[in-house]
Amino acid sequence: MRAMGEYGPVNAGKFAEIAAAARPVVLRGQVVSWPAVAAAQAGLLDRYLRDQASTRAAPCVVGLPSLKGRFFYREDMRGMNFGRRDAPLGEVLDQLQQQADAAEPLALAMQSAPTDLVLPGFADANRLDLLPESVRPRIWIGNRIHVATHYDSNDNIACVVGGRRRFTLFPPDQAENLYIGPLELTPAGTPVSMVDVDAPDLASYPRFANALDSALTAELAPGDAIFIPYLWWHSVRSLDPLSVLVNYWWSALPEVLSPVDALLHALVALRAQPESRRAAWRALFDHLVFDDAAAVHLPIAARGVSGDLTDDERQQVVQQLARKLSGRS
């Protein structure tokens, strides 16, 4: 496991170069000028959030002290080891304050709540000038919790407002060493690694040692930010009784069909095929999907889905697929 690359605060032009390189980077002090960060450094973050909080409810998760903050599957893999409910931010802050004094605190978090919903005015007072204003922030508030290793289907900037967070990242090519859990039943919508980064069971998951050789890690303090590229696996551990993070997800490309949906379709269509057929399809996928030169021998007008489709043309193909999958002609 190696330390992640770092920059000091960067401007939008430099960040565009960083994002184009598609490598994770820590941006030390990127949002240290935010009023919310100043409040955290003065020990006034709870009051700052309460003063702006709406009464609108947002998704929350809660788990027993025995979880030690790790939101994950139950032992039988038939469900999760935590519960879900919606609550307003003020109520969550009350609970976090109570749990801070508990000998064995509950694991508690509000996750991925749009700041426009739960903290109106936060985005205007605490601006990130690296992205278009149309990219709206989300807030994550909790105590000492551990989010299992997962990926995002977007690029991501995460900004630490209060408390410290430790990030552990794995490149996309380490997927086979991460022992991916069920695709249909997930803690938060995307697949997770079955391995606990902080206490890996290498007897059960021996290839995870290879993943650790490629892992990058960093601990962030209030005011720091991190760029997590598309499909990079990451585990996040909150280290303090009140931990607040704001993140921004965005995609440089319009997505009319989710790659995850394509993956699920491929699994259903191909997984049960004999090995000889799967090998044949693997060759076709490698050539037609992942080889940019697969159709250069054809005139541009004849390349169809193997060429560069317009948004309208891509949408037409998606509609055709939808009709086929629904059994309509």
Side-chain angles (χ1 to χ4, degrees):
M1 196 177 297
R2 293 170 288 127
M4 209 171 302
E6 297 187 4
Y7 288 90
V10 299
N11 59 28
K14 180 61 179 178
F15 179 72
E17 296 176 7
I18 292 171
R23 293 282 301 178
V25 167
V26 174
L27 304 173
R28 294 290 182 196
Q30 185 67 46
V31 296
V32 74
S33 63
W34 279 7
V37 173
Q41 293 173 334
L44 301 173
L45 183 56
D46 179 90
R47 173 51 53 196
Y48 180 88
L49 296 174
R50 289 179 188 276
D51 287 346
Q52 297 191 48
S54 76
T55 59
R56 304 283 295 278
C60 301
V61 290
V62 61
L64 296 173
S66 58
L67 305 185
K68 300 187 182 303
R70 189 183 183 218
F71 293 133
F72 199 60
Y73 293 97
R74 298 197 312 249
E75 287 189 10
D76 62 9
M77 296 290 293
R78 295 180 180 273
M80 302 302 153
N81 64 1
F82 57 89
R84 304 180 193 270
R85 68 186 184 93
D86 289 353
L89 178 54
E91 183 178 325
V92 173
L93 292 170
D94 288 343
Q95 290 293 319
L96 288 170
Q97 198 170 64
Q98 293 175 17
Q99 297 306 313
D101 299 325
E104 296 185 333
L106 297 170
L108 175 66
M110 173 180 282
Q111 295 187 319
S112 191
T115 60
D116 293 340
L117 175 73
V118 298
L119 282 169
F122 181 95
D124 290 335
N126 301 272
R127 289 184 175 274
L128 184 70
D129 295 329
L130 304 181
L131 299 171
E133 191 173 350
S134 59
V135 180
R136 306 305 291 170
R138 292 174 174 269
I139 195 163
W140 308 67
I141 301 174
N143 50 11
R144 291 186 176 95
I145 61 172
H146 180 191
V147 177
T149 305
H150 65 287
Y151 65 80
D152 296 330
S153 296
N154 288 287
D155 288 313
N156 184 8
I157 296 180
C159 306
V160 176
V161 174
R164 296 161 298 134
R165 295 210 180 202
R166 184 167 66 244
F167 291 79
T168 305
L169 274 64
F170 303 89
D173 64 10
Q174 290 303 305
E176 66 175 334
N177 296 324
L178 294 176
Y179 296 89
I180 299 171
L183 301 182
E184 300 88 348
L185 178 65
T186 69
T190 57
V192 301
S193 169
M194 296 299 296
V195 189
D196 185 347
V197 168
D198 294 322
D201 179 357
L202 295 182
S204 298
Y205 308 112
R207 293 195 311 274
F208 188 71
N210 297 327
L212 286 174
D213 288 340
S214 299
L216 302 174
T217 186
E219 183 175 309
L220 274 63
D224 295 335
I226 183 173
F227 168 58
I228 303 175
Y230 178 88
L231 285 193
W232 271 71
W233 296 81
H234 51 286
S235 166
V236 187
R237 180 176 282 278
S238 305
L239 303 175
D240 292 299
L242 176 59
S243 182
V244 179
L245 178 139
V246 170
N247 89 298
Y248 302 77
W249 280 313
W250 82 100
S251 176
L253 298 172
E255 194 172 271
V256 295
L257 178 64
S258 166
V260 174
D261 293 338
L263 175 63
L264 292 175
H265 188 191
L267 285 169
V268 172
L270 301 175
R271 190 67 178 166
Q273 296 284 341
E275 174 55 31
S276 60
R277 294 186 179 184
R278 285 192 288 147
W281 280 109
R282 184 181 300 115
L284 275 176
F285 269 65
D286 284 343
H287 179 56
L288 294 176
V289 178
F290 300 109
D291 182 355
D292 291 340
V296 295
H297 59 286
L298 296 174
I300 292 177
R303 291 177 187 176
V305 293
S306 296
D308 296 324
L309 298 179
T310 66
D311 290 345
D312 288 342
E313 290 170 337
R314 192 176 292 108
Q315 187 64 53
Q316 289 174 12
V317 174
V318 171
Q319 291 170 356
Q320 292 173 7
L321 288 171
R323 287 194 293 270
K324 288 184 177 181
L325 289 171
S326 66
R328 292 176 287 153
S329 58

